[in-house]
Structure formats: structure tokens, C-alpha cells
């Protein structure tokens, strides 16, 4: 029995029909009502299973939202089979085998309903039903939030799934609903799940978040189109497509995902337009299997939180990036396996810790008119069968511009490498490659460095201002060279006009002939000799000049003294104490670990302990392969690059995750330990990372811990030291701090949150850069400027505190 009564207002005009009536139950009222009648339900709890078969209006009293509860003991509380209007009701179900609200037919309007239930489905739409659902809330921790199936459709506007024990919205069986400005959150399954041939979903302005699972899941020939929507804070992948799924994302934002932001497999197709993928723990785009394809246009992928490539294409899949930006990631694009292909047009790849483009296992990469900057390696073609084309690309501020190894055979045309730290183009281990019209300027090493046995072709290439020389070829056999030029200057001399020579060379077994064809000067001066290595005193002086790091400087000086005295004892015929040179660096990012590692290598080289003292910086992604056996090869390659210098492994604890499972990191550790033992005098290894994580890493790997002599802790900078870094930056770039600016900076650094995003020295440098940008915006508005205007930085130039 109902606690209240139901008033029915009839719309009939016949004198024989009552205009109004009151009924003791909802079932009786519905039985008496006809099409167009309005049923106003008095407040109360109705333990009835209701079926709406006519086009009536069923509503609670005005101004008393939620006062009417439909809450039977079992079964479906409310079933709608007509084009009725239902509003302002509270629906509760208890049957785990039935939905709380079931729409089976018609085009009803459901408005301002609250469904709080523990049912199989909160709101289920079936068959020919096409409801319009507005401002409804579903809370169903026992099952699906909204289920649309068996060819049904409908429009859901401003609805919210506040909790679901399974999927938030489930679409299957050929259904095709539309969601507008809806929110789905706190579900224990996928936020949005669409599966089955003919099934589809359109979502506009929707938000999916706080999902214990995948945010959006499209599978089994289903399709979906999301516009102006966001997916964030999931526990699994952000978006997954599987088995011929099709998805279009336009103006969407996928962010704060601990796994893959978007994962595609089994012939699925994704079209991504003007969308952003950011803060992801594994891959931003993960694309697998033949026939699987991603087309991304005007998209941005950035700020990885893990150690994985931003874009991963493998097992015969294809990815196309047009006018996209990929930045602040460990690696930008990895394409591997025969049949896999990536095409990148007019895109920017920047601030990449390791490799911008990696091509391996027979894959292909095509880059046209792309810009690559601030990376370790611009492009790396790794092995036999791997290739593709780089056409009209620029690579700026890389360690090495392009690497070709192990039989890989790309075509590099009209590409420019500017200011590489090592080589512009490096070919080794029987790599091949054709280089046409390429240019290297300002290299810290060679322009083109081609090792023995590499069948490489150089045609109309040019090098300028390369510190070690324009071209370096193997002694026994070299590349085919046609019409290549070099200024032959090595390190440029101020005021000197560089000489230019054209080389024509032919490769014959055991012989390389290089003939100068012409010169712009009758007697070009020889390149100056390579600068000698600095003394340990000079390097220690640079170390002492670094801001802060007092305990670090003391530790390094102690090690240096022990090594120096040991060398003198040996020269005197005495036994020298054994000094293990491998180190552990612990501390937060931006505390100078990499800089100190570089200086440590120089010191060891100056003392004759190391041959070169150069620094090779790697992380997990450089050492750990994707397949069994590939990790040992990668680790060996990194070790070989560091031979004679320092191998610096950043975030080394990532090689030994707490939940290792089938992780290949252990293989990298085992390989590294053996190499350190077999070649103890060839390479110094430094492992670095956060203090707590490195302590755990050394505790679980005693074999690694035994190889290191000591741990050096890099403390965070205090505000005074951060101020000093800014002052050094200002002096270096010819700026000055106005009166009061130093005090303002000190207060700023004191108040700055020191959370996980805080970068110590990097934060100080970014603060200076922000001040310079604000200064430029201020000064640009001045009609006339003097020296003070152009150089003085004021407190008002400081950025806002985050």
C-alpha cells in the first residue's frame, strides 16, 4: 500500500469523464489513466512494480524533488513502454538480475530522475525505444549505470553516472545512443563500453573520470565518436579499441592515465583530430597488429610520467601524424616489426630524453618537413630491414642527429643537423643508408662518422664548423662519396674565413680515395689541433663553481685525491689502495647529478683512469627491450658507447620495479653486472635516482650494490642557492636584477611548493626564463629603450606562484 495518493488529471472533454481523480496506488492510477493524462504522485514510498503503457505524464509534486520513491522489494521498479513523460521521481531497485528503470518502447521523456539502486542495470533501454533522458542521476554500485542494447537509441543530456559496479555506460547489440554533456565517474568497469557489430555511441561535451578500469572501451566492430570530451584518472588504459573497432576523437583531452592513454589492436581504426594526450604512464598511443591504424591531425602528445615511448607502433600497424607536437617524453616514436609504418608530416618532436624516432625489426618510418630538437638521438634506424625516409627535416640540439646500425638502410634527404654534441650522422655495425643534400653545422664531434664495413652513400652533403672534422671514415673501407663539401675548419677561429673543399670518394675493398676537387682558397690553413683534455685541477674548479652541493664536492674531491695518490704510489713502486670508481647518485631531479657525472668523467680522464671521460646518459627505455634477448643487446650497445667514459643510468630503480613479474629489467641488470666485472677498467658506471627508490633498488639487487664504492646524496637546493642560480643565469645572458628583485626571488623560492613537480635547478632556470619572457612583453611596448630597460629584471617580472 502506498503511503500517499495519486491524483490523475484527465484531458478528455467528454462530460461523462471525470476531470480529476485520486487513487490509492500508482498501479490503479496508471490503469485508469489515458493518453495525455497527468499523474501527480503524492510524497511517499511506493512498493510497487510499475508499467507505463500509455503516453501519460508521471511526476512528483512540484517543489518536492526526491519526495516520491518507487522502491519495490524485487523485480523492475519502473518499466516504460510508451511515449510517456516521467519526471521528479526517486527509483530504487534491489534485484541483481533486473534493471531499476527499463525503457522498452516509444519515445518517452525522462527528466530529473534519481536512480539509487543495487540492480543489474540502473537505467536500461531496449529494442525500438528512443527516449530523451535529461538531468538524470544513476548510482548503481552493483551493476551497469546505463545500458542501451538490442538496437535501441536515445539522447542523454546532462546525465550523471555517479557510481557503477560495472561499466558506467554499456552499449551493445546494435544500439546507438547519443550523450550530451554527461558525466561518468567512479565506476568499477569501463566508463563507456561499446561492443558488437552495428553498435555505436556519440558523445559530445562529456567527461569520464575516476574509473577503476578503462575509460572508454570500443570492441568487436563497434564504433564511437567523441567530441569535446575528456577522459582522465583511470586505473587502466584511457581508451582501448579492439577487433575492428572504429573511434573518432575530436577536440578531446586524454590525461592523467597510469597506463596507455590510447591502445589499439586487431584492425581497429582511430581518427584523432585537434586532441591532446598528456600525463600518461606508458604509451600515449599504442598501436598493434596488421590493419590497425591511427590518423592524428593537429594533436599534442606530451608530459609522459613513465619511461615508455609516447607513440608505439608494432606488429604491422600504421600511424600517421600530421601537424602534431610530441614533447617532454622519454622517447617520441618507436616503430618496430616488419610491416609496421609511421608517417609523420610537418610535426614537432622536442624535449625528448632519449630517441625521437626509433625504427627496428624491419619497420619503416617516413618523416617529411619535421622539426626535431632537444633530444638525445634524432632518429635511430637500428637493424637489418629497417628503413624509410627523412625528407626536409631539421634536427637541433641533439647528442647525435641520426644513427644507422646493423644493416638498416634509410634514405635521408635535405636534412639539417645543427649543434649535435657528438656526431651529426653516425653509421656503424654494417649500417647502410643514403644521405643526399644533408648538412651538419656546429657539431661537437664529426659531421659524418661512418665506421668500417658500412656501405653508405653520401651525395652533395655539407659540413660546417665541426669540432673534430667534417667527415670521419673507417680505415679499411668507407662510403661512396659524391660532391660533398666541408669547411675543413674543425673548431671555428674568430675572424677567419673558413676553407671549403669538395670531396669525391669511391669505396673499394680495403681502400678509400678522397680527392679534393676545388677549394675557395689557394692554400687553406689546416684545422687547429684538438684541444687537450683539461687538468683535474681545472675540472675541480668548475665543480667548485657550481651552486651548493657542498657534500657532493667533498665526496668527489676525496675520490679524486685517493685516485691521484694511488697513481703516485704505483709510480713509486708501492701498492695502491683499490678504489672502486662506480658510484650511486641519489636525490631529487634538477640537483646537478648529470653535471657532476660529466665532470667526474673528465677528472678520471685527466688522471689517466679513463681513456676519454665522455658521458653516455641512458635510462630504462635504452636498456630494456621489448622481446626476449633484445635487452642484453641494448645494454651491451649502451655499454660499448660508454667505453672509455662514464655510463650514467638515470632512474636506475626502474630496472627493478617492485612488481617485476615478467619484466626484462632484471636481464639488463644481470648483463650490466657482468660487463662491469669483465671490463672493470673500461667504463665507470653511475646509477642515479630518487633517494628512497635507489635504496630499495640496491637492497633488492645485492649483485649491483656490491659493484659500487659509495653513495653520494644530492640535497635539494635551499632558496638562497636557487637565487644564486638565477643570478648566474642573469649574468651569463647579460641581464641584471633590479633593486628589490633578489629579495622578491628569495620570497618566491621560499613560498614555491616543493611537490613532485619541483625541479630544483631546473625550476630556477625556468623561473629565469619566465622572467625574461615577461620582461620582453613589458619592454616591447616601450617606444624607446635604453640599456637599463633592456637588461634590468624587476620583481614584477616574476611568474605567479602555482
Amino acid at each position: 500500500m502506498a503511503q500517499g495518493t495519486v491524483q490523475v488529471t484527465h484531458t478528455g472533454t467528454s462530460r461523462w469523464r471525470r476531470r480529476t481523480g485520486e487513487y490509492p496506488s500508482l498501479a490503479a492510477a496508471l490503469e485508469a489513466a489515458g493518453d495525455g493524462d497527468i499523474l501527480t504522485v503524492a510524497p511517499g514510498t511506493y512498493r510497487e512494480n510499475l508499467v507505463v503503457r500509455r503516453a501519460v505524464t508521471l511526476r512528483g509534486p512540484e517543489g518536492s524533488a526526491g519526495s516520491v520513491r518507487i522502491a519495490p522489494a524485487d523485480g523492475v521498479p519502473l518499466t516504460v513502454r510508451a511515449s510517456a513523460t516521467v519526471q521528479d521521481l526517486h527509483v530504487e531497485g534491489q534485484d541483481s538480475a533486473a534493471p531499476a528503470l527499463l525503457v522498452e518502447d516509444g519515445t518517452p521523456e525522462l527528466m530529473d530522475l534519481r536512480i539509487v539502486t543495487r540492480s543489474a542495470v540502473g537505467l536500461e533501454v531496449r529494442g525500438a525505444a528512443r527516449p530523451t533522458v535529461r538531468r538524470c542521476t544513476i548510482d548503481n554500485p552493483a551493476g551497469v549505470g546505463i545500458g542501451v542494447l538490442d538496437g535501441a537509441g536515445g539522447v542523454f543530456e546532462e546525465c550523471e553516472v555517479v557510481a557503477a559496479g560495472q561499466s558506467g555506460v554499456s552499449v551493445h547489440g546494435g544500439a546507438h545512443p547519443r550523450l550530451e554533456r554527461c558525466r561518468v565517474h567512479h565506476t568499477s568497469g569501463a566508463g563507456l563500453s561499446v561492443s558488437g557489430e552495428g553498435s555505436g555511441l556519440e558523445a559530445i561535451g562529456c567527461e569520464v573520470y575516476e574509473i577503476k578500469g578503462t575509460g572508454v572501451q570500443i570492441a568487436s566492430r563497434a564504433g564511437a565518436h567523441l567530441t569535446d570530451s575528456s577522459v582522465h584518472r583511470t586505473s587502466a588504459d584511457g581508451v582501448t579499441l579492439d577487433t575492428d573497432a572504429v573511434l573518432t576523437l575530436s577536440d578531446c583531452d586524454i590525461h592523467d592515465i597510469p597506463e596507455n592513454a590510447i591502445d589499439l589492436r586487431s584492425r581497429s581504426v582511430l581518427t584523432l583530430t585537434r586532441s591532446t594526450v598528456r600525463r600518461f604512464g606508458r604509451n600515449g598511443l599504442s598501436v598493434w597488429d596488421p590493419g590497425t591504424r591511427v590518423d592524428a591531425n593537429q594533436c599534442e602528445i606530451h608530459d609522459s610520467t613513465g619511461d615508455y615511448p609516447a607513440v608505439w607502433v608494432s606488429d604491422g600497424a600504421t600511424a600517421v601524424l600530421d601537424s602534431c607536437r610530441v614533447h617532454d617524453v622519454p622517447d617520441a616514436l618507436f616503430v618496430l616489426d616488419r610491416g609496421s609504418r609511421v608517417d609523420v608530416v610537418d610535426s614537432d618532436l622536442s624535449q625528448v630524453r632519449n630517441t625521437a624516432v626509433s625504427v627496428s625489426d624491419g619497420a619503416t618510418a617516413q618523416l617529411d618537413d619535421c622539426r626535431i630538437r632537444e633530444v638525445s638521438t634524432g632518429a635511430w634506424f637500428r637493424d637489418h630491414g629497417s628503413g624509410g625516409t627523412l625528407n626536409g627535416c631539421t634536427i637541433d640540439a641533439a647528442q647525435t642527429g641520426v644513427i644507422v646500425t646493423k644493416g638498416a638502410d634509410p634514405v635521408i634527404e635535405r636534412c639539417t643537423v645543427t649543434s649535435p654534441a657528438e656526431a651529426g650522422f653516425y653509421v656503424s655495425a654494417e649500417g647502410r643508408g643514403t644521405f643526399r643534400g644533408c648538412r651538419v653545422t656546429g657539431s661537437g664531434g664529426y659531421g659524418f662518422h661512418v665506421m668500417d664495413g658500412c656501405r653508405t652513400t653520401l651525395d652533395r652533403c655539407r659540413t660546417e664548423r665541426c669540432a673534430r672534422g667534417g667527415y670521419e671514415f673507417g680505415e679499411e673501407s668507407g662510403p661512396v662519396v659524391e660532391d660533398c663539401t666541408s669547411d675543413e675548419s674543425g673548431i671555428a677561429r674568430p675572424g677567419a674565413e673558413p676553407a671549403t673543399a669538395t670531396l669525391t670518394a669511391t669505396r673499394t675493398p680495403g681502400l678509400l680515395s678522397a680527392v679534393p676537387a676545388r677549394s675557395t682558397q689557394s692554400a687553406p690553413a689546416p684545422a687547429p689541433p684538438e684541444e687537450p683534455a683539461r687538468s683535474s685541477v681545472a675540472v675541480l674548479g668548475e665543480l667548485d663553481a657550481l651552486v651548493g652541493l657542498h657534500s657532493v664536492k667533498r665526496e668527489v674531491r676525496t675520490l679524486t685525491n685517493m685516485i691521484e695518490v694511488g697513481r703516485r704510489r704505483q709510480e713509486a713502486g708501492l701498492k695502491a689502495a683499490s678504489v672502486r670508481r662506480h658510484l650511486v647518485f641519489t636525490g631529487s631531479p634538477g640537483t646537478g647529478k648529470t653535471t657532476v657525472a660529466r665532470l667526474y668523467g673528465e677528472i678520471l680522464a685527466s688522471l689517466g683512469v679513463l681513456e676519454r671521460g665522455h658521458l653516455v646518459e641512458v635510462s630504462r627505455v635504452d636498456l630494456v627491450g621489448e622481446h626476449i634477448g633484445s635487452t642484453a643487446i641494448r645494454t651491451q650497445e649502451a655499454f660499448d658507447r660508454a667505453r672509455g667514459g662514464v655510463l650514467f643510468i638515470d632512474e636506475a630503480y626502474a630496472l627493478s620495479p617492485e612488481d617485476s613479474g615478467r619484466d626484462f629489467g632484471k636481464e639488463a641488470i644481470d648483463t650490466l653486472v657482468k660487463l662491469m666485472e669483465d671490463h672493470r677498467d673500461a667504463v665507470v658506471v653511475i646509477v642515479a635516482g630518487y633517494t628512497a627508490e635507489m635504496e630499495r633498488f640496491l637492497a633488492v639487487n645485492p649483485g649491483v650494490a656490491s659493484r659500487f664504492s659509495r653513495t653520494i646524496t644530492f640535497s635539494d637546493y635551499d632558496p638562497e642557492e636557487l637565487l644564486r642560480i638565477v643570478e648566474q643565469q642573469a649574468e651569463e645572458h647579460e641581464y641584471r636584477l633590479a633593486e628589490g628583485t633578489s629579495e622578491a626571488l628569495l620570497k618566491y623560492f621560499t613560498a614555491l611548493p616543493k611537490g613532485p613537480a619541483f625541479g630544483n635547478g631546473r625550476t630556477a632556470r625556468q623561473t629565469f626564463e619566465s622572467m625574461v619572457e615577461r620582461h620582453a612583453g613589458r619592454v616591447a611596448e616601450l617606444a624607446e629603450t635604453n640599456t637599463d630597460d633592456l637588461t634590468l629584471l624587476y620583481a614584477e617580472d616574476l611568474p605567479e606562484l602555482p
Side-chain angles (χ1 to χ4, degrees):
M1 177 66 68
Q3 294 178 357
T5 59
V6 183
Q7 178 178 294
V8 179
T9 301
H10 299 284
T11 59
T13 58
S14 169
R15 73 170 73 182
W16 303 106
R17 190 171 183 193
R18 290 180 300 168
R19 296 292 299 164
T20 63
E22 291 188 357
Y23 298 85
S25 70
L26 269 170
L30 287 168
E31 185 65 27
D35 289 347
D37 285 352
I38 299 172
L39 285 73
T40 304
V41 186
T45 300
Y46 296 82
R47 307 290 185 183
E48 303 178 63
N49 300 95
L50 303 177
V51 179
V52 180
R53 296 183 175 89
R54 298 182 181 89
V56 299
T57 296
L58 179 64
R59 70 187 186 192
E62 293 185 11
S64 300
S67 63
V68 178
R69 297 171 62 225
I70 313 299
D74 55 23
V76 181
L78 179 58
T79 301
V80 181
R81 295 174 179 164
S83 299
T85 298
V86 182
Q87 65 184 90
D88 294 323
L89 300 181
H90 193 117
V91 182
E92 298 180 12
Q94 301 296 328
D95 195 332
S96 61
L101 196 162
L102 173 61
V103 184
E104 290 188 311
D105 205 352
T107 57
E109 291 190 34
L110 311 178
M111 296 181 292
D112 300 302
L113 304 180
R114 181 167 179 83
I115 303 170
V116 179
T117 184
R118 297 193 67 83
S119 302
V121 184
L123 169 58
E124 182 170 293
V125 183
R126 295 181 184 171
R130 299 289 187 274
T132 298
V133 186
R134 296 189 178 96
R135 300 181 301 278
C136 292
T137 302
I138 297 94
D139 185 343
N140 183 22
V144 173
I146 298 173
V148 188
L149 59 150
D150 299 338
V155 177
F156 297 77
E157 299 177 358
E158 299 182 54
C159 294
E160 183 174 11
V161 177
V162 300
Q166 299 175 34
S167 297
V169 177
S170 176
V171 180
H172 58 91
H176 206 297
R178 174 187 175 97
L179 275 59
E180 298 183 9
R181 303 180 303 284
C182 294
R183 296 165 61 198
V184 179
H185 54 94
H186 292 90
T187 72
S188 296
L192 307 178
S193 175
V194 188
S195 64
E197 189 165 6
S199 301
L201 171 72
E202 185 174 4
I204 300 172
C206 295
E207 185 178 13
V208 179
Y209 62 100
E210 295 294 353
I211 306 297
K212 292 182 180 177
T214 300
V216 177
Q217 189 174 58
I218 317 296
S220 304
R221 298 183 174 83
H225 187 164
L226 273 64
T227 303
D228 193 26
S229 298
S230 66
V231 179
H232 57 104
R233 299 203 302 275
T234 64
S235 68
D237 294 338
V239 177
T240 64
L241 284 77
D242 201 354
T243 315
D244 300 290
V246 177
L247 174 64
T248 300
L249 296 176
S250 301
D251 301 293
C252 291
D253 189 7
I254 316 296
H255 65 95
D256 292 287
I257 307 296
E259 298 292 329
N260 299 308
I262 304 176
D263 183 83
L264 298 80
R265 299 169 186 263
S266 303
R267 303 172 304 282
S268 297
V269 176
L270 169 68
T271 301
L272 200 63
T273 306
R274 296 182 305 278
S275 294
T276 300
V277 177
R278 56 194 171 97
R279 295 200 297 271
F280 43 89
R282 291 181 70 88
N283 306 124
L285 291 176
S286 176
V287 194
W288 301 71
D289 303 324
T292 306
R293 180 183 177 95
V294 169
D295 283 275
N297 184 269
Q298 301 178 62
C299 295
E300 186 174 9
I301 304 172
H302 63 99
D303 286 307
S304 167
T305 60
D307 288 318
Y308 301 88
V311 179
W312 174 280
V313 182
S314 68
D315 295 283
T318 300
V320 178
L321 277 65
D322 190 347
S323 305
C324 293
R325 292 183 61 209
V326 182
H327 61 91
D328 292 285
V329 294
D331 297 272
L333 310 177
F334 261 46
V335 52
L336 61 156
D337 301 322
R338 188 170 302 280
S340 299
R341 180 180 179 90
V342 62
D343 288 89
V344 189
V345 181
D346 189 25
S347 295
D348 290 272
L349 313 177
S350 64
Q351 294 172 292
V352 179
R353 191 164 66 226
N354 301 307
T355 304
V357 181
S358 174
V359 187
S360 61
D361 299 324
T364 301
Q366 171 86 33
L367 274 72
D368 293 291
D369 302 315
C370 292
R371 297 156 295 278
I372 301 172
R373 58 186 175 83
E374 296 180 54
V375 302
S376 179
T377 302
W380 190 344
F381 297 87
R382 293 179 178 268
D383 47 31
H384 181 74
S386 303
T389 302
L390 268 61
N391 187 8
C393 298
T394 60
I395 302 173
D396 184 35
Q399 285 289 115
T400 304
V402 176
I403 299 175
V404 182
T405 57
K406 297 183 180 178
D409 194 12
V411 175
I412 317 294
E413 298 184 299
R414 300 185 300 105
C415 291
T416 299
V417 180
T418 305
S419 304
E422 296 179 0
F425 297 94
Y426 178 73
V427 186
S428 70
E430 299 183 352
R432 304 183 69 171
T434 300
F435 301 85
R436 299 192 187 103
C438 295
R439 180 181 176 186
V440 182
T441 64
S443 172
Y446 296 108
F448 290 81
H449 191 173
V450 182
M451 304 296 286
D452 277 334
C454 297
R455 299 167 61 189
T456 302
T457 299
L458 277 63
D459 183 14
R460 300 185 305 280
C461 295
R462 166 80 180 172
T463 66
E464 300 171 353
R465 303 186 307 280
C466 295
R468 301 188 67 184
Y471 302 87
E472 173 71 5
F473 303 145
E475 296 181 359
E476 296 183 3
S477 61
V480 174
V481 182
E482 295 290 341
D483 296 327
C484 293
T485 63
S486 172
D487 61 7
E488 295 296 331
S489 61
I491 300 173
R493 292 162 292 150
E497 184 70 24
T500 301
T502 298
L503 302 181
T504 299
T506 57
R507 176 180 49 80
T508 55
L511 176 65
L512 172 69
S513 61
V515 183
R518 63 181 182 276
S519 174
T520 58
Q521 297 180 357
S522 57
E530 189 173 319
E531 289 185 349
R534 293 190 294 173
S535 67
S536 60
V537 174
V539 183
L540 285 168
E542 182 178 341
L543 177 65
D544 289 336
L546 296 176
V547 174
L549 304 177
H550 304 297
S551 63
V552 174
K553 296 170 183 175
R554 185 170 58 252
E555 291 277 4
V556 172
R557 191 171 288 277
T558 298
L559 278 170
T560 303
N561 291 340
M562 291 179 65
I563 293 170
E564 171 65 17
V565 171
R567 182 178 64 81
R568 294 181 183 180
R569 285 176 60 86
Q570 285 182 326
E571 291 175 352
L574 300 172
K575 289 184 178 180
S578 176
V579 180
R580 289 187 177 177
R581 300 158 297 176
H582 308 303
L583 302 175
V584 179
F585 285 178
T586 67
S588 303
T591 47
K593 295 188 290 295
T594 306
T595 299
V596 173
R598 175 180 59 79
L599 296 176
Y600 183 56
E602 277 199 70
I603 291 169
L604 296 182
S606 69
L607 296 175
V609 175
L610 291 175
E611 181 181 353
R612 294 173 56 194
H614 65 294
L615 181 73
V616 174
E617 182 178 358
V618 298
S619 63
R620 174 191 165 90
V621 73
D622 301 287
L623 305 178
V624 178
E626 303 81 24
H627 310 293
I628 294 174
S630 61
T631 295
I633 295 173
R634 286 192 179 189
T635 305
Q636 176 76 61
E637 289 175 347
F639 196 88
D640 289 343
R641 293 202 307 275
R643 196 175 293 274
V646 174
L647 179 63
F648 182 80
I649 306 175
D650 198 13
E651 296 181 358
Y653 52 83
L655 295 173
S656 182
E658 292 183 89
D659 182 16
S660 58
R662 296 173 59 188
D663 190 81
F664 293 139
K666 185 178 184 302
E667 184 182 353
I669 294 172
D670 294 342
T671 304
L672 186 64
V673 168
K674 186 176 188 305
L675 290 169
M676 290 168 68
E677 182 64 28
D678 294 345
H679 307 281
R680 64 186 68 182
D681 296 326
V683 174
V684 166
V685 178
I686 299 176
V687 292
Y690 289 103
T691 302
E693 283 83 349
M694 289 304 297
E695 288 175 354
R696 176 184 60 78
F697 170 68
L698 295 173
V700 299
N701 288 286
V704 175
S706 66
R707 296 299 190 275
F708 294 92
S709 61
R710 65 181 65 201
T711 297
I712 299 178
T713 300
F714 288 67
S715 301
D716 289 344
Y717 290 116
D718 59 32
E720 290 78 8
E721 291 169 338
L722 294 172
L723 170 61
R724 179 58 188 144
I725 293 173
V726 173
E727 290 173 341
Q728 287 183 348
Q729 290 280 302
E731 183 179 351
E732 180 181 343
H733 293 86
E734 298 185 347
Y735 285 90
R736 294 178 294 145
L737 301 184
E739 185 176 353
T741 306
S742 296
E743 291 77 6
L745 271 165
L746 200 58
K747 291 180 180 178
Y748 177 84
F749 286 131
T750 301
L752 196 64
K754 307 301 190 294
F758 183 72
N760 283 283
R762 182 172 67 248
T763 296
R765 290 187 291 274
Q766 289 171 345
T767 300
F768 170 71
E769 291 167 0
S770 296
M771 293 179 72
V772 169
E773 291 173 2
R774 287 169 174 255
H775 165 270
R778 175 169 53 79
V779 174
E781 297 178 357
L782 302 177
E784 296 182 1
T785 57
N786 55 35
T787 302
D788 284 348
D789 294 329
L790 295 172
T791 59
L792 282 174
L793 299 175
Y794 290 90
E796 66 189 74
D797 295 322
L798 271 168
E800 298 292 332
L801 281 169

